[in-house]
Amino acid sequence: MSNSYAQPILRTADLSEALHVVKRLLDLADLEDLEIDFDGFVFSADVLTPLLELIPHSQWYAAGDTGGSSEKGDDPAAHFPVRFRAFAEEPEVVGPFLDVIGDSLATVRWDFMGWPEAPEVGLDVGGARGAFVTLGVNVRDLDLEEPSADYTVWVHVKYVEAERAPWLAAKVGLSVIGDLVMAPY
């Protein structure tokens, strides 16, 4: 498995605007096998407890040196901040997740079958390996290291199909606003 490459196309303080762009991108995609992945840094039980109730099979682990984790059965209250992760979720979980996440740093990643043909830039239909859209919440990067007070939308592509990112941005009336970077996991 190799990583995708992501390029930001929108930064906004308006969550509804960010979600509208995500929807427009998803309207272009082959949504067969659509799954949603969540990643975040959570700073309090006020956020983590409802997240664990919302996604009971999710995981958390201590972001610091304490070594605590859900896998060990530890109490997260002794280990904040914690890294929260959930994979292969249904799209209906996105809204409740965003309602609960508060000021935590998070990403929501839509994982699907592929991007459409982009004949204007010489690309055939793109496969699943580079087909993602990510919404950053309170963060400017995909590694959750640059806190912010806004939302960022990234399109993911294969490195050898880098031209697809600005093409996708143009398809939703935008342009790329940052560098193409290797995405985590």
Side-chain angles (χ1 to χ4, degrees), residues 54-106:
L54 176 66
I55 311 172
H57 53 277
S58 58
Q59 303 168 350
W60 67 267
Y61 60 90
D65 295 332
T66 62
S69 73
S70 55
E71 189 174 274
K72 295 178 186 177
D74 293 326
D75 177 6
H79 301 284
F80 285 109
V82 300
R83 188 81 179 245
F84 173 88
R85 289 198 161 159
F87 300 99
E89 296 299 320
E90 295 297 319
E92 298 80 64
V93 178
V94 173
F97 176 85
L98 292 172
D99 290 343
V100 170
I101 202 65
D103 63 356
S104 299
L105 312 179

Side-chain angles (χ1 to χ4, degrees), residues 15 49 82 88 123 125 129 131 133 159 179:
L15 176 58
T49 300
V82 300
L123 295 173
V125 172
R129 186 170 57 90
V133 173
Y159 184 75
D179 295 333

Side-chain angles (χ1 to χ4, degrees), residues 100-163:
V100 170
I101 202 65
D103 63 356
S104 299
L105 312 179
T107 59
V108 179
R109 186 179 82 170
W110 288 260
D111 180 351
F112 43 87
M113 188 52 67
W115 289 119
E117 179 181 17
E120 299 89 342
V121 291
L123 295 173
D124 290 329
V125 172
R129 186 170 57 90
F132 311 110
V133 173
T134 297
L135 171 65
V137 179
N138 303 320
V139 67
R140 291 274 172 105
D141 69 312
L142 295 169
D143 294 313
L144 305 176
E145 295 175 352
E146 297 176 40
S148 71
D150 52 19
Y151 305 94
T152 302
V153 176
W154 286 273
V155 293
H156 295 247
V157 298
K158 297 174 190 171
Y159 184 75
V160 297
E161 296 180 354
E163 303 86 7

